[in-house]
Amino acid sequence: MPTINLAIVGVGKIVRDQHLPAVAGNADYRLVAAASRNGRVEGIDNFGSIEQMLSAVPSIQAVSLCMPPQYRHAAAVQALEAGKHVFLEKPPGATLSEVEDLAALAADRHVSLFASWHSRYAPAVEAAREFLSGTRIRAMRVAWKEDVRQWHPNQAWIWQPGGLGVFDPGINALSIVTRILPRPVFATAATLEFPENRDAPIAASITFTDAAGLDLSAEFDWRQTGRQSWDIVAQTEAGEMVLSEGGAKLSVDGRLLHAEPEQEYPMLYGRFAEIIRAGHSDVDLAPLRHVADAFMLGRRKVVEAFHD
Ligand code: NAP
């Protein structure tokens, strides 16, 4: 198979931590250029904007967009209109409608659009899906509680409108839940806690149900110090299922069934190459739709100011 000439836009934390190593380890790709206002990738051509990059390097075939979600749609339109395949970091955009707009544009230009959800590729997620498909779920509790100061230092965008606040990690939990449950769910109530000096929530609690009356609730909180929790616990007829550490480990009734090394970004790039070669897109908006519903239904509670 010929390699895919890839470019990366928005060189920041996730590009350095995950995209560059995943691309370097995948023979399907050749990284040919990067565009970022300040960030740089050593050893390739770097540009200050996506416009400059696309006009200077016509051999680019695919572009990964890794800037904050509020700025992704404009860049994606430029890439799609230039006939490039596009990988969107999560969340795929700031609104549902803008991502639907991108999906329509990708179809019109016959290129692939990938709305990536890295947590769906956590090691034990497929095993959890299989376990749940063979039993009846009585209740499910999601706890995604982390220390924002540890994980998101100096990220102003995350607190701004469209940055999603605590839903930036919370949407990872929703991407797993929507993968492992056998039926679609919908939110029935939500409370969103906004620091008095911020435009995005620092905590959220949401209840959901499904057509069979599932009892599902999720707690997202950015004020967690000490032990961090990224856990999904389900009471089922086959026992208590615990999917912990962000989808890395699966146990049932305390017995560890699945724990393998994490390979989320290598798998995402594998999937992107697969859809490019098949001529498909992969755009599942369910996690983002649940976040939008929580904002629509959510009772707003103002809490104490947050200072970095
Ligand atoms: P980041 O480092 O704060 O931002 C990435 C880069 O985007 C920045 O270095 C900056 O590069 C560019 N950028 C920032 N503000 C911009 C603006 N106003 N207009 C255009 N470009 C701008 O964020 P990140 O942690 O890498 O996260 C980026 C995306 O990846 C988010 O959607 C996030 O949810 C997702 N993600 C992050 C993680 C993580 O662990 N951090 C994990 C998975 C997914 P320049 O200044 O050089 O332009």
Side-chain angles (χ1 to χ4, degrees):
M1 285 293 189
T3 52
I4 298 162
N5 288 334
L6 180 76
I8 288 187
V9 186
V11 179
K13 184 173 189 311
I14 197 60
V15 167
R16 294 194 186 94
D17 289 356
Q18 297 288 351
H19 288 255
L20 295 178
V23 171
N26 188 329
D28 282 337
Y29 297 95
R30 195 161 71 92
L31 188 62
V32 293
S36 215
R37 299 164 312 170
N38 304 292
R40 286 182 61 79
V41 178
E42 291 311 313
I44 56 171
D45 289 335
N46 285 266
F47 300 87
S49 71
I50 186 170
E51 295 95 311
Q52 290 168 0
M53 181 182 78
L54 291 175
S55 67
V57 192
S59 65
I60 292 168
Q61 295 166 297
V63 180
S64 290
L65 300 180
C66 306
M67 69 287 280
Q70 299 99 319
Y71 313 104
R72 215 172 281 136
H73 177 265
V77 167
Q78 292 188 52
L80 294 170
E81 285 188 340
K84 315 301 181 190
H85 307 291
V86 170
F87 176 128
L88 302 169
E89 247 303 345
K90 55 72 34 177
T95 70
L96 289 165
S97 305
E98 71 178 35
V99 187
E100 286 168 351
D101 178 65
L102 297 179
L105 182 56
D108 184 61
R109 300 301 157 113
H110 304 290
V111 291
S112 298
L113 181 67
F114 183 32
S116 72
W117 297 112
H118 67 88
S119 290
R120 282 191 176 168
Y121 293 85
V125 168
E126 289 308 304
R129 175 182 161 94
E130 200 178 308
F131 172 78
L132 293 176
S133 72
T135 184
R136 201 177 73 80
I137 308 164
R138 298 198 177 107
M140 183 178 272
R141 301 282 172 261
V142 179
W144 232 247
K145 299 183 179 184
E146 61 179 45
D147 181 352
V148 65
R149 290 187 176 88
Q150 180 180 347
W151 300 102
H152 301 280
N154 310 314
Q155 290 192 324
W157 60 267
I158 217 160
W159 291 106
Q160 290 162 359
L164 295 190
V166 76
F167 287 103
D168 177 79
I171 202 167
N172 297 333
L174 295 172
S175 75
I176 295 176
V177 166
T178 49
R179 176 72 190 157
I180 63 177
L181 284 177
R183 271 183 295 274
V185 293
F186 51 91
T188 52
T191 300
L192 274 52
E193 297 183 39
F194 287 77
E196 63 184 18
N197 60 340
R198 302 285 175 164
D199 288 321
I202 195 165
S205 49
I206 317 165
T207 56
F208 299 85
T209 194
D210 69 3
L214 177 70
D215 168 11
L216 168 61
S217 63
E219 299 287 333
F220 303 150
D221 203 323
W222 253 348
R223 297 165 298 195
Q224 180 93 341
T225 52
R227 185 184 171 270
Q228 309 283 285
S229 350
W230 299 286
D231 302 326
I232 298 173
V233 178
Q235 307 302 330
T236 80
E237 285 183 348
E240 181 184 74
M241 183 202 87
V242 179
L243 181 60
S244 57
E245 298 179 25
K249 287 189 180 159
L250 178 73
S251 55
V252 174
D253 287 339
R255 199 162 58 89
L256 186 64
L257 297 185
H258 200 99
E260 282 171 17
E262 184 270 298
Q263 283 289 312
E264 293 177 14
Y265 277 77
M267 290 176 78
L268 284 180
Y269 273 97
R271 175 70 179 149
F272 188 39
E274 182 181 279
I275 66 169
I276 290 172
R277 289 185 174 134
H280 297 154
S281 284
D282 178 348
V283 182
D284 177 11
L285 288 176
L288 189 61
R289 185 177 310 111
H290 291 310
V291 172
D293 286 356
F295 274 93
M296 287 171 78
L297 272 180
R299 189 170 69 89
R300 183 188 172 95
K301 187 172 162 191
V302 176
V303 297
E304 70 177 347
F306 175 83
H307 301 288
D308 292 312

